[in-house]
Amino acid sequence: MYRTGIDLSLGKHIYKKHGRRRKELVEKLRKKGITDERILKAIAEIPRHIMVDTALEKRAYEDTALPIGCGQTISQPYTVAAQTSLLELKEGEKVLEIGTGSGYQAAILCHMGADVYSVERHDTLYQKARQMLQDLGFKARLKLGDGTRGWSAYAPYDAIVVTAGAPVVPDDLIQQLDIGGRLVVPVGDRETQKMVRITRIAEERFEEEQLRDFKFVPLIGEKGWS
Ligand code: SAH
């Protein structure tokens, strides 16, 4: 049985360990312009160090991306915070994430009270993230597969976040947005991507905003890179 919220079955030390480092990270993110207190609180509480190799544990609260195996990375905390801010989430909204990776972004979204769905294409990462989220007591629904097609079974979503760089905005994701829904996706070449936010303002009316540059691992799949 899972429940939403911090589960202490992992042991309180997991949340106490590196608490000072997490606070310093939060202060850094504030200085970089992150203002949403719910996001900052989640970052102050979610143990990022359990999502990386023990050899990298000390670096878990640096504001950088770190390797998680399968040639993938756990996103930089600033990037996670920036993408989450752009989603403009309200409590209880349904969010689809493409690229579960370590499960860090998913854990942040769960902590904020979102109803989280997430797709990952690497089985090893999918299994690990599933176990980790379960251990933390979060009730996210995860799927192994190609997220460039979205996850139609649970559509429509209030928000969709893609945590890998896409060559174009995948059309299926736009179609799986609810009216008023926001899609946040980095789009560009394999080197750099512009953060794009698409809002579905009516059934067939969309608003697109282009924001600053980021650097993500590639989104690989039918509607992504080959
Ligand atoms: N949100 C993650 C970031 C992981 S990096 C975190 O917080 O750690 C991006 C992830 O997207 C990688 O794990 C990669 O395997 C995954 N990915 C790439 N293309 C994908 C696709 N088409 N469908 C699902 N996942 C994909």
Side-chain angles (χ1 to χ4, degrees):
M1 261 238 305
Y2 313 146
R3 62 187 165 79
T4 303
I6 297 285
D7 186 333
L8 294 181
S9 63
L10 267 184
K12 274 189 182 149
H13 69 281
I14 293 250
Y15 304 101
K16 283 200 175 142
K17 199 171 180 189
H18 303 305
R20 188 180 47 81
R21 284 199 169 106
R22 271 198 295 280
K23 257 193 202 136
E24 286 166 7
L25 172 60
V26 164
E27 291 320 310
K28 231 178 251 171
L29 297 179
R30 265 189 220 284
K31 285 201 185 99
K32 288 185 178 177
I34 304 299
T35 53
D36 188 327
E37 290 301 329
R38 296 169 310 161
I39 298 174
L40 295 168
K41 189 162 191 290
I43 289 174
E45 289 180 12
I46 297 296
R48 192 173 186 256
H49 65 274
I50 65 169
M51 301 173 203
V52 295
D53 199 86
T54 43
L56 291 170
E57 188 177 321
K58 286 221 166 74
R59 299 193 53 204
Y61 299 103
E62 289 176 13
D63 190 20
T64 54
L66 291 169
I68 52 170
C70 303
Q72 306 305 318
T73 54
I74 180 170
S75 300
Q76 180 184 348
Y78 172 75
T79 303
V80 172
Q83 283 197 291
T84 309
S85 303
L86 288 168
L87 294 176
E88 293 185 353
L89 289 179
K90 291 185 226 38
E91 179 87 21
E93 279 193 327
K94 196 170 164 190
V95 185
L96 172 66
E97 176 194 27
I98 306 303
T100 317
S102 66
Y104 182 63
Q105 169 80 77
I108 296 289
L109 294 169
C110 287
H111 187 283
M112 293 172 68
D115 180 16
V116 180
Y117 297 76
S118 184
V119 185
E120 170 57 50
R121 63 183 288 273
H122 278 288
D123 189 33
T124 318
L125 298 176
Y126 158 77
Q127 301 287 354
K128 258 177 128 171
R130 207 163 70 142
Q131 187 63 50
M132 184 279 295
L133 290 165
Q134 185 178 322
D135 289 347
L136 290 179
F138 291 129
K139 207 177 137 200
R141 246 182 250 257
L142 304 192
K143 174 175 143 168
L144 176 65
D146 177 8
T148 61
R149 306 300 309 266
W151 192 351
S152 58
Y154 293 102
Y157 301 94
D158 299 302
I160 302 179
V161 60
V162 182
T163 68
V168 291
V169 179
D171 191 51
D172 294 88
L173 300 185
I174 297 179
Q175 292 309 327
Q176 289 174 24
L177 282 178
D178 205 349
I179 309 290
R182 296 79 62 198
L183 164 64
V184 172
V185 51
V187 181
D189 56 31
R190 280 176 176 264
E191 293 312 308
T192 52
Q193 305 84 30
K194 223 170 235 341
M195 198 62 77
V196 173
R197 176 166 64 182
I198 293 175
T199 307
R200 186 171 210 163
I201 46 183
E203 187 61 34
E204 290 304 331
R205 277 188 63 213
F206 299 90
E207 185 184 270
E208 179 175 327
E209 298 156 88
Q210 298 216 353
L211 305 133
R212 46 153 289 208
D213 284 354
F214 284 84
K215 185 168 173 49
F216 283 83
V217 294
L219 179 76
I220 295 169
E222 198 181 326
K223 303 287 180 78
W225 296 99
S226 49

